[in-house]
């Protein structure tokens, strides 16, 4: 008899195992959902892990207030369909209450401001297991993060003091006030995600697919014209056929010209590309060699 | 799209040309992107190095880049049309035994590099020993820098013979050798015409072809219960399923099973997944098993076969690798232990010897383990564990020890068997 799982089935089995393990060892899990493709896959795995029961935890979205409307619509539709509770942690509220200070100018981004409302929501809801859709192939600081990533009482990540992770024996123990970030799709690549989305027929926000949009060029990316981003002089808006490769804030997520309108066409496009998805579409990672590491140490996703 | 997932562990120091080898495989399989290459070219230039330092691809932490060292296991991913590889890349320095053990714990294939000029050195033996201790099923020795020994067949054979001789003292059941020049690309991705005396495959072709599907234990049914699914919905009022990952054998509906620790017997009535019921479940599938009888089964229990069950016991002999510099393993100390999906407490009843991983000498006078040391210990646990020898099943034969005060993972254990 010949037993061999495809790489997608093996990754799925690993992800489901991790999710069940974290839920079994924690008290109050929550799943972070951005509306992007990785969190859509993560949510899908969570549904698989507990079928035919509902997922035994709420879903949390950190809302910068600068989201693409298509993504918010997708979020509400998806969470509504599976009957999960949605918690929204609001960056706008944090700004209004003076807990964080908004950057100004054409390069202002609310990206880094997400950490405060995220940690506040974790603390006030007493969440101890926080699922995230980060992947190790995304970024080099993430390449060294554990599947079960321990956070201290300030929500901080200490890259030099991580627990060794052997076999599939995850150590989910923590003390009161601390929590675990758990990354079930750590070992997936961007290509795995797209192939899995195609295989499973997982739906995504429309901005991933080719569409017409008014954009302007900045730093080699095409930024969507919106109320949330100021343009420098000379950044002239124009109509283009574009799609987005990642989903983040309108102020820091860039589009590129593409006619890929289906998942199959996106897979063909991703196979041919020579630029990483963060390099292609995220202004937030371009600020410094260790930008992600610094954000993560503060408690970022 | 039916690619297979294969896990690799590589280890070695900068001097072995390991980064160059990995960098070349990643680049030639199109896993290094333009912006990553530009970023490391820029960083290399700032640092004043003459060549593009591919280690910068994986050394992502600020401290690593500042100190020019690799402090942790780095995971890299690459794929060929046949296989997707998860590569755990660990630094080779002596103090990183902990990282090598971590990387090797899940590996199907270990890649060990030697410098053809230096031949088999202490570090090579250490890497090979750890791969064998962790029961990595396949070991590939890459004899690198062949360009610097004029692609000499004699030199290559000398190294191969010396390594084979050493390997007879280890437990490695599949050993392969490839002459390589990582820098010039010989036998890395494409077969080289500068080694006409070598008729085997390149490293990448070897990695694509080594048969790994039979390495898992497909005989002894082992299903540690992870989570009990009880939907409490109108549609599934009486549903009770045992969720987990198969770690041994093949489960089928209709099979008679035994549940540990109770010893009750029942029959599998269904194996469920989100995509519908399945006819059989083999490692490493995550499934939900339903039984005919309403038994009291909870997380940490083990489903197996009535006439093929793991050892059940509280006194266990194991090889332990110590993972922390904050404390030492000593007889009389208690730890939390995680084995499959079960937590218990374990007392170190005795330490029999410490193993010198360079000479394989057993030091019986030694009664503690410090960071990166490996020794044979006897544990007494508060509850029975359901275990197999590590050599028979890596999943039911392994455990971690956790410090109860700090919750740090401090020890990695490989079970030898019940204490005599």
């Amino acid at each position: 008899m010949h037993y061999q799982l495809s790489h997608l089935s093996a990754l799925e089995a690993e992800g489901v195992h991790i999710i069940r393990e974290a839920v079994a060892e924690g008290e109050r899990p929550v799943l972070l959902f951005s509306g992007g493709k990785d969190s859509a896959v993560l949510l899908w795995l969570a549904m698989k892990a507990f079928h035919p029961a509902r997922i035994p935890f709420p879903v949390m979205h950190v809302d910068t207030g600068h989201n693409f409307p298509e993504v918010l619509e997708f979020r509400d539709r998806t969470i509504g369909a599976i009957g999960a509770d949605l918690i929204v942690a609001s960056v706008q509220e944090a700004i209004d209450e003076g807990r964080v200070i908004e950057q100004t100018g054409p390069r202002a981004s609310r990206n880094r401001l997400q950490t405060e409302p995220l940690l506040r929501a974790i603390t006030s809801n007493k969440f101890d297991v926080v699922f995230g859709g980060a992947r190790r192939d995304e970024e080099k600081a993430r390449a060294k993060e554990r599947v079960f990533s321990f956070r201290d009482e300030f929500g901080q990540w200490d890259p030099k003091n991580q627990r060794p992770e052997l076999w599939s024996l995850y150590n989910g123990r923590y003390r009161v006030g601390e929590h675990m970030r758990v990354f079930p799709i750590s070992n997936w690549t961007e290509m795995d995600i797209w192939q899995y989305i195609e295989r499973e027929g997982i739906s995504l926000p429309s901005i991933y697919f080719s569409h017409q949009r008014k954009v302007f060029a900045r730093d080699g990316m095409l930024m969507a014209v919106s109320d949330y981003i100021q343009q420098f002089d000379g950044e002239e808006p124009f109509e283009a056929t574009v799609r987005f490769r990642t989903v983040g804030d309108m102020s820091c997520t860039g589009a590129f010209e593409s006619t890929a309108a289906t998942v199959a066409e996106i897979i063909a496009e991703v196979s041919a590309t020579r630029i990483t998805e963060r390099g292609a579409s995220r202004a937030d990672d371009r600020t410094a060699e260790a930008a992600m590491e610094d954000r993560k140490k503060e408690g970022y996703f | 799209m039916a690619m297979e997932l294969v896990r690799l562990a590589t280890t070695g120091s900068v001097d072995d040309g390991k980064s160059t080898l990995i960098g070349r495989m990643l680049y030639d399989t199109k896993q290094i992107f333009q912006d990553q290459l530009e970023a490391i070219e820029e960083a290399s230039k700032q640092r004043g190095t003459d060549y593009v330092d591919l280690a910068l691809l994986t050394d992502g932490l600020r401290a690593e880049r500042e100190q020019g060292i690799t402090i942790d296991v780095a995971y890299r991913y690459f794929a060929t049309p046949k296989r997707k590889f998860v590569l755990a890349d660990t630094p080779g320095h002596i103090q990183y035994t902990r990282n090598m053990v971590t990387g090797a714990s899940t590996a199907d294939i270990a890649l060990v590099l030697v410098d053809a000029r230096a031949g088999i050195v202490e570090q090579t033996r250490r890497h090979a020993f750890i791969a064998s201790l962790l029961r990595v099923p396949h070991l590939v020795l890459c004899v690198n820098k062949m360009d610097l020994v004029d692609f000499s067949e004699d030199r290559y054979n000398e190294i191969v013979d010396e390594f084979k001789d050493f390997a007879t003292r280890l437990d490695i059941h599949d050993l392969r050798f490839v002459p390589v020049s990582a820098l010039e690309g010989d036998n890395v991705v494409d077969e080289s015409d500068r080694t006409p005396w070598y008729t085997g495959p390149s490293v990448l072709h070897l990695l694509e072809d080594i048969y790994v599907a039979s390495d898992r234990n497909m005989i002894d049914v082992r299903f540690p219960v992870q989570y009990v699914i009880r939907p409490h919905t109108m549609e599934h009022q009486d549903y009770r399923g045992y969720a987990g990952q198969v770690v041994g054998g093949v489960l089928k509906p209709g099979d008679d099973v035994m549940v540990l620790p109770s010893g009750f017997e029942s029959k599998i009535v269904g194996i469920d997944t989100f995509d519908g019921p399945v006819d059989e479940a083999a490692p490493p599938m995550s499934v939900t098993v339903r039984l005919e009888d309403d038994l009291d089964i909870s997380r940490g229990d083990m489903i197996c076969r009535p006439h093929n069950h793991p050892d059940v016991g509280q006194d266990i002999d194991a090889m332990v690798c110590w993972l922390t510099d904050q404390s030492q393993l000593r007889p009389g100390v208690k730890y939390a232990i995680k084995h499959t999906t079960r937590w218990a407490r374990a007392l170190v009843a005795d330490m029999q010897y410490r193993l010198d991983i360079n000479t394989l000498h057993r030091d019986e006078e030694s009664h503690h383990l410090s960071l990166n040391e490996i020794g044979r210990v006897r544990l007494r646990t508060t509850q029975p564990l359901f275990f197999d020898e590590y050599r028979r099943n890596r999943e039911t034969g392994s455990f971690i020890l956790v410090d109860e005060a700090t919750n740090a993972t401090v020890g990695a254990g490989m079970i030898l068997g019940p204490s005599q």
Side-chain angles (χ1 to χ4, degrees):
Chain A
M1 202 67 183
H2 187 70
Y3 298 97
Q4 185 182 317
L5 288 188
S6 71
H7 73 296
L8 295 179
S9 296
L11 289 170
E12 178 190 79
E14 179 184 73
V16 165
H17 171 80
I18 291 163
I19 292 169
R20 287 171 172 169
E21 204 59 12
V23 169
E25 298 217 336
E27 300 280 329
R28 290 178 64 83
V30 66
L31 184 145
L32 297 177
F33 186 81
S34 68
K37 65 185 188 315
D38 299 326
S39 63
V41 166
L42 179 62
L43 187 64
W44 189 260
L45 293 177
M47 284 164 58
K48 288 203 167 192
F50 301 101
H51 176 83
R54 289 197 193 96
I55 60 170
F57 43 79
V59 173
M60 177 154 74
H61 179 228
V62 180
D63 183 356
T64 59
H66 288 176
N67 289 290
F68 289 92
E70 295 92 334
V71 175
L72 293 179
E73 180 275 325
F74 170 76
R75 175 195 78 184
D76 294 341
R77 179 161 43 89
T78 306
I79 309 298
I82 65 167
D85 287 334
L86 175 67
I87 296 167
V88 177
S90 164
V91 172
Q92 187 61 52
E93 209 174 275
I95 293 168
D96 294 344
E97 291 173 9
R99 288 184 270 122
V100 296
I101 296 175
E102 182 153 37
Q103 298 172 349
T104 55
R107 289 189 180 276
S109 163
R110 289 184 167 184
N111 192 37
R112 201 163 189 152
L113 304 185
Q114 295 178 89
T115 302
E116 197 278 344
L118 168 66
L119 293 179
R120 191 182 173 90
I122 290 171
T123 308
S124 64
N125 288 285
K126 297 192 169 61
F127 291 129
D128 58 352
V129 168
V130 181
F131 288 111
R135 309 188 325 263
R136 285 176 178 150
D137 82 319
E138 265 181 281
E139 205 283 331
K140 52 192 185 293
R142 285 187 166 163
K144 303 233 164 162
E145 185 156 20
R146 302 295 183 259
V147 173
F148 274 53
S149 186
F150 168 78
R151 300 301 159 104
D152 68 12
E153 61 269 49
F154 299 102
Q156 299 178 109
W157 179 55
D158 180 358
K160 286 193 224 171
N161 189 24
Q162 301 195 78
R163 298 173 179 173
E165 214 153 60
L166 300 105
W167 299 289
S168 44
L169 292 171
Y170 301 103
N171 175 0
R173 291 166 75 105
Y174 63 89
R175 287 176 287 197
V176 177
E178 301 166 344
H179 71 275
M180 302 300 296
R181 297 284 174 90
V182 178
F183 303 108
I185 57 170
S186 286
N187 287 326
W188 298 48
T189 62
E190 183 186 19
M191 182 56 86
D192 298 328
I193 292 286
W194 281 114
Q195 289 174 340
Y196 189 71
I197 286 167
E198 183 179 49
R199 185 182 95 168
E200 302 285 310
I202 299 169
S203 62
L204 291 181
S206 57
I207 66 167
Y208 276 113
F209 303 97
S210 178
H211 59 284
Q212 288 288 118
R213 185 178 288 269
K214 189 168 274 187
V215 294
F216 64 92
R218 177 184 288 179
D219 303 334
M221 297 184 278
L222 299 175
M223 308 301 292
V225 172
S226 75
D227 295 342
Y228 307 135
I229 183 164
Q230 289 177 35
Q231 286 150 245
F232 286 110
D233 287 344
E235 290 181 334
E236 293 301 327
F238 58 95
E239 280 280 332
T241 304
V242 298
R243 68 175 203 89
F244 291 84
R245 203 165 151 195
T246 66
V247 163
D249 239 20
M250 290 191 85
S251 65
C252 70
T253 308
F256 63 103
E257 289 196 73
S258 167
T259 56
T262 64
V263 175
E265 285 167 10
I266 289 173
I267 288 174
E269 193 183 84
V270 171
S271 319
T273 185
R274 303 299 295 145
I275 306 281
T276 62
E277 57 183 327
R278 287 203 160 257
S281 62
R282 296 304 267 269
D284 44 327
D285 285 331
R286 295 183 164 194
T287 38
E289 212 182 1
M292 175 65 87
E293 181 181 349
D294 293 342
R295 287 204 305 275
K296 286 182 72 63
K297 282 179 180 165
E298 292 168 7
Y300 189 75
F301 305 113
Chain B
M1 211 168 81
M3 288 197 291
E4 198 178 5
L5 185 71
V6 174
R7 294 172 200 262
L8 306 176
T10 58
T11 180
S13 62
V14 180
D15 304 337
D16 298 330
K18 184 193 60 170
S19 298
T20 317
L21 179 78
I22 295 171
R24 190 165 276 281
M25 285 199 294
L26 296 178
Y27 193 78
D28 288 354
T29 56
K30 300 199 170 83
Q31 307 295 316
I32 297 180
F33 295 95
Q34 203 71 44
D35 53 318
Q36 286 177 309
L37 201 61
E38 282 165 15
I40 64 167
E41 273 169 3
E42 181 60 29
S44 301
K45 214 180 293 170
Q46 277 179 14
R47 223 148 300 189
T49 50
D50 289 339
Y51 54 93
V52 176
D53 186 356
L54 289 165
L56 293 171
L57 274 175
T58 48
D59 293 346
L61 303 175
R62 191 188 289 278
E64 292 177 313
R65 272 177 283 114
E66 281 169 3
Q67 297 168 39
I69 53 158
T70 305
I71 59 173
D72 208 343
V73 185
Y75 292 92
R76 302 288 317 180
Y77 304 86
F78 64 101
T80 67
K82 283 188 192 171
R83 286 185 163 173
K84 174 204 159 99
F85 295 97
V86 176
L87 173 89
D89 181 22
T90 62
H93 194 266
I94 185 156
Q95 54 194 242
Y96 296 109
T97 297
R98 167 178 113 154
N99 292 336
M100 275 185 250
V101 168
T102 303
S105 72
T106 52
D108 301 302
I109 303 171
L111 272 181
V112 177
L113 272 89
V114 297
D115 181 331
R117 294 169 303 174
I120 308 298
V121 295
E122 189 176 289
Q123 185 173 278
T124 322
R125 294 191 191 93
R126 189 163 68 238
H127 296 168
F129 170 69
I130 290 172
S132 90
L133 181 73
L134 273 291
R135 310 272 327 156
V136 181
H138 311 273
L139 190 149
V140 178
L141 189 79
C142 301
V143 181
N144 191 25
K145 305 198 184 181
M146 286 302 294
D147 52 313
L148 299 179
V149 296
D150 298 325
F151 295 95
S152 160
E153 183 182 8
D154 289 344
R155 181 62 185 141
Y156 173 73
N157 287 336
E158 204 173 47
I159 292 170
V160 167
D161 291 344
E162 190 184 345
F163 190 82
K164 278 183 180 165
D165 183 49
F166 169 71
T168 55
R169 298 160 67 192
L170 304 177
D171 201 359
I172 301 173
H173 72 260
D174 182 29
L175 187 54
R176 316 284 183 106
F177 301 88
V178 189
V180 168
S181 166
L183 196 65
E184 302 189 0
D186 297 87
N187 293 326
V188 176
V189 174
D190 299 313
E191 282 75 20
S192 171
D193 54 15
R194 295 199 283 183
T195 51
W197 41 267
Y198 172 76
T199 53
S202 68
V203 177
L204 191 67
H205 292 152
L206 191 57
L207 297 180
E208 277 192 301
D209 287 337
I210 288 179
Y211 187 64
V212 298
S214 60
D215 294 336
R216 285 179 184 268
N217 183 324
M218 295 291 179
I219 298 160
D220 311 313
V221 169
R222 302 288 184 264
F223 187 78
V225 176
Q226 240 191 321
Y227 190 88
V228 181
I229 294 180
R230 304 206 63 185
H232 300 292
T233 56
M234 294 309 281
E235 195 189 342
H236 300 283
Q237 287 194 36
D238 298 319
Y239 189 96
R240 188 182 178 93
Y242 306 105
Q245 190 166 24
V246 185
V247 298
V250 181
L251 287 79
K252 295 190 177 83
D255 282 353
D256 292 322
V257 292
M258 183 169 81
V259 184
L260 294 173
S262 67
F264 288 132
E265 294 185 19
S266 186
K267 193 186 283 287
I268 297 176
V269 291
I271 303 174
D272 296 340
T273 71
F274 178 87
D275 303 294
V278 292
D279 296 336
E280 54 188 15
M285 288 170 68
S286 285
V287 296
T288 302
V289 171
R290 281 180 294 115
L291 301 182
E292 194 170 65
D293 306 282
D294 215 357
L295 303 176
D296 178 18
I297 298 173
S298 53
R299 173 173 167 82
D301 290 1
M302 173 80 81
I303 294 175
C304 52
R305 304 269 283 161
H307 301 292
N308 178 345
H309 57 78
D311 283 314
V312 179
Q314 291 171 259
D315 296 288
I316 297 165
D317 280 359
M319 297 301 292
V320 170
C321 176
W322 203 242
L323 308 172
T324 181
D325 57 3
Q326 303 295 305
S327 65
Q328 293 176 325
L329 176 138
R330 287 177 187 281
V333 183
K334 297 184 188 76
Y335 300 98
I337 184 170
K338 189 178 188 187
H339 172 261
T340 67
T341 56
R342 174 169 277 247
W343 281 99
R345 298 180 75 209
L347 168 74
V348 179
D350 185 24
M351 184 173 141
Q352 286 129 315
Y353 59 82
R354 183 171 64 198
L355 195 68
D356 183 321
I357 59 173
N358 295 316
T359 61
L360 306 185
H361 173 73
R362 295 173 178 184
D363 180 1
E364 291 175 8
E365 301 307 308
S366 177
H367 296 290
H368 67 270
L369 292 178
S370 302
L371 174 64
N372 294 316
E373 293 183 337
I374 294 168
R376 179 175 174 145
V377 300
R378 177 164 296 177
L379 299 176
R380 167 87 187 162
T381 60
T382 49
Q383 296 174 42
L385 302 183
F386 321 121
F387 59 91
D388 295 288
E389 276 178 70
Y390 183 74
R391 50 178 299 131
R392 191 150 179 92
N393 190 318
R394 286 165 100 187
E395 303 298 328
T396 55
S398 55
F399 61 82
I400 53 171
L401 296 175
V402 172
D403 184 301
E404 293 187 298
T406 64
N407 290 326
T409 304
V410 292
M414 289 140 279
I415 295 172
L416 297 163
S419 298
Q420 303 298 317

